[in-house]
Amino acid sequence: MLQDKITQYTEEIKAFAPSSAQEVEAFRLKFLVSKGILKNLFEEFKTVSSDEKRVLGKVLNEFKQLAENTFKDASEKFSNQNEGQTANAEGDLTLPGQGFSLGSRHPLSLVRKEIVEIFKKLGFVVAEGNEIEDDWHNFSALNFAPEHPARDMQDTFFIKKQDGNEMVLRTHTSSVQVRLMEAGKPPFRAIMPGRVYRNEAISARAHCFFHQIEGLYVDENVSFADLKQTLYHFVKELYGEDTKVRFRPSYFPFTEPSAEMDISCTICKGAGCQMCKYSGWVEILGCGMVDPNVLDNCGIDSKKYSGFAFGMGIERITNLKYEIRDLRLFSENDVRFLSQFETEII
């Protein structure tokens, strides 16, 4: 009979005195799971007569509360014991935890991110490309004549010929500009960050690999005034409103007219120091209007469209921002140097 079963199980629960968490779990599996004793008793309760239900309903509910409370009390008991043991072994777990250091961000990564964010606000998107390039995208499409000095072994790392093309480690990220213009139609407004390679002796001021960010804007009626105002804004955002800017005429095969842009030295504030060679000015980038030949090489009508381009070395920008005087520090992985920069804690 149902009454006899309830009485039997009630006595068993009242006598339950677990000595381990495993016994508590066994109690739960026996009485409280979907196929346990409690569930079976309620299924059997559905089959008794109406008169018996009025009597057994209360008894069965009291049995259910007894089983659930017994399991709850036993679970809390062993949970508290485990917490006490852990606290004794490892210390006070109520104390606030300590964060894990993820290490410092590399200064070049910090500056690259800051530059990208400035130009993103002006509507520039980020484009990236291959570090191994062919002659056309690295040189010829950019108006480099076959006899141009930059093609000599002293400047470029040549790898091998592939399908008749000379393959090189790219010497600038301008190759990404070519691929961008070949693959789409104007307008283009993009910046191209990346690593580049040149066959140079490693010193405090030069390295065989370094990082560049180049920019390109091509549309109808783009002028040199647009270029100047874009770069003025960039310098003021990066170095501050008091930074002075000047443009000097220069020459690049892929731009005409071309210029180099100088800023007042951020280290000596224009008074003169080793970084600016005591001139008070530091050159930070080259720029100019995209040569019509480059537009035509990329399948863009140079009579309808014009554009400007610029390129800067991230190492030079970082030197000025953090007053770092030796380029070799960026690639030596010295923790003492890297730990001086922004660190994230989680």
Side-chain angles (χ1 to χ4, degrees), residues 3-216:
Q3 176 66 63
D4 295 336
K5 291 180 180 179
I6 295 175
T7 301
Q8 175 188 342
Y9 290 134
T10 299
E11 296 299 324
E12 181 179 343
I13 291 176
K14 289 181 177 180
F16 179 61
S19 58
S20 66
Q22 289 76 13
E23 293 183 7
V24 177
E25 177 63 11
F27 177 91
R28 184 186 73 83
L29 295 174
K30 181 177 182 179
F31 286 96
L32 302 178
V33 296
S34 59
K35 294 183 179 180
I37 290 174
L38 185 61
K39 179 71 173 179
N40 292 334
L41 292 178
F42 272 96
E43 289 297 325
E44 188 175 343
F45 176 74
K46 296 177 182 179
T47 64
V48 300
S49 64
S50 300
D51 293 337
E52 288 181 303
K53 283 183 178 179
R54 284 193 290 271
V55 177
L56 294 177
K58 179 180 178 182
V59 176
L60 188 55
N61 283 327
E62 290 177 349
F63 174 78
K64 176 184 177 182
Q65 292 178 4
L66 174 65
E68 291 176 345
N69 290 337
T70 299
F71 172 72
K72 178 181 178 181
D73 292 343
S75 297
E76 291 177 353
K77 172 185 175 182
F78 285 100
S79 175
N80 292 334
Q81 285 183 0
N82 291 335
E83 288 179 2
Q85 293 172 358
T86 303
N88 291 333
E90 301 181 5
D92 188 351
L93 298 184
T94 63
L95 293 175
Q98 295 180 345
F100 295 95
S101 174
L102 294 183
S104 302
R105 288 184 178 271
H106 197 284
L108 294 180
S109 298
L110 291 172
V111 174
R112 168 178 162 157
K113 179 181 178 182
E114 187 171 359
I115 294 172
V116 168
E117 290 302 318
I118 292 173
F119 283 105
K120 275 186 174 180
K121 293 176 183 177
L122 297 177
F124 286 76
V125 298
V126 175
E128 296 181 334
N130 302 329
E131 293 186 11
I132 298 177
E133 271 295 4
D134 56 43
D135 179 276
W136 169 256
H137 292 94
N138 196 75
F139 291 127
S140 298
L142 292 165
N143 216 27
F144 281 84
E147 69 279 1
H148 195 281
R151 293 174 175 268
D152 293 345
M153 287 291 294
Q154 62 181 7
D155 294 324
T156 306
F157 287 106
F158 290 90
I159 303 175
K160 62 180 179 180
K161 284 190 175 181
Q162 180 175 310
D163 299 328
N165 289 321
E166 196 82 55
M167 304 301 293
V168 303
L169 293 179
R170 67 182 181 189
T171 57
H172 44 206
T173 53
S174 302
S175 58
V176 185
Q177 298 182 24
V178 177
R179 292 189 177 276
L180 182 67
M181 289 188 286
E182 286 180 335
K185 295 181 179 181
F188 301 107
R189 193 193 296 257
I191 53 174
M192 300 85 178
R195 185 182 305 196
V196 299
Y197 306 84
R198 294 181 187 174
N199 190 11
E200 298 183 3
I202 298 174
S203 67
R205 299 178 62 86
H207 211 290
C208 62
F209 71 86
F210 53 99
H211 301 78
Q212 282 187 338
I213 287 187
E214 300 201 18
L216 174 71

Side-chain angles (χ1 to χ4, degrees), residues 234-250:
F234 162 68
V235 169
K236 302 296 183 181
E237 286 287 305
L238 187 66
Y239 291 113
E241 289 291 333
D242 296 333
T243 306
K244 298 179 181 179
V245 179
R246 74 178 185 185
F247 289 84
R248 292 180 290 105
S250 187

Side-chain angles (χ1 to χ4, degrees), residues 119 124 177 190-191 213-216 227 230-231 255 285-288 308-312:
F119 283 105
F124 286 76
Q177 298 182 24
I191 53 174
I213 287 187
E214 300 201 18
L216 174 71
L227 167 63
T230 299
L231 295 180
T255 55
L285 59 83
C287 59
F308 65 72
F310 57 85
M312 67 191 80

